[in-house]
Amino acid sequence: MNERKLFRESVFITLAFVGVLWCVKSWEYATSVDLSFLGIYPRTLKGSLGIVTSPFIHGDIQHLLSNTFPLAILGVGLFFFFRKIALEVFVIVYLSPSTASAREIPK
């Protein structure tokens, strides 16, 4: 695969994921629905859903902006330079913080 096509695909994959994050937040604002119930609740069965959904939930626009630019830059780099393992790395990085948070002992 030539580098130009690989770069375009890397940008597309990354921006598609970032776009989903923005769509979730936009929908949350447009409908005035609070999606915080999809966050992580440590050591509860209810909180298990948050392991998968919490990366899509952001407190406010500033929080989402703070995650957007690093995710876009690092995501393109990941999918461009490490194409063969990029999806596996992405899934591990996506789930690891959520899984660690779910294991915390509630205070």
Side-chain angles (χ1 to χ4, degrees):
M1 180 179 298
N2 70 41
E3 285 189 17
R4 187 173 291 214
K5 183 177 180 187
L6 180 59
F7 182 74
R8 273 187 268 139
E9 286 181 7
S10 301
V11 169
F12 176 78
I13 292 168
T14 302
L15 292 183
F17 183 74
V18 170
V20 170
L21 297 179
W22 277 94
C23 285
V24 168
K25 193 62 179 172
S26 298
W27 182 82
E28 186 177 17
Y29 273 130
T31 61
S32 298
V33 173
D34 181 15
L35 296 178
S36 64
F37 71 93
L38 293 173
I40 297 173
Y41 294 93
R43 296 187 180 232
T44 64
L45 187 57
K46 176 185 174 187
S48 300
L49 178 63
I51 292 173
V52 177
T53 60
S54 66
F56 293 102
I57 309 304
H58 292 82
D60 56 19
I61 294 296
Q62 183 64 38
H63 180 200
L64 183 54
L65 278 171
S66 296
N67 288 340
T68 295
F69 296 112
L71 181 60
I73 292 167
L74 295 173
V76 170
L78 174 66
F79 283 95
F80 183 74
F81 293 110
F82 303 101
R83 182 62 170 207
K84 291 181 181 177
I85 62 168
L87 190 57
E88 182 180 344
V89 169
F90 180 80
V91 170
I92 290 169
V93 169
Y94 175 85
L95 292 176
S96 293
S98 299
T99 305
S101 294
R103 296 185 64 203
E104 288 182 9
I105 299 171
K107 294 180 182 184

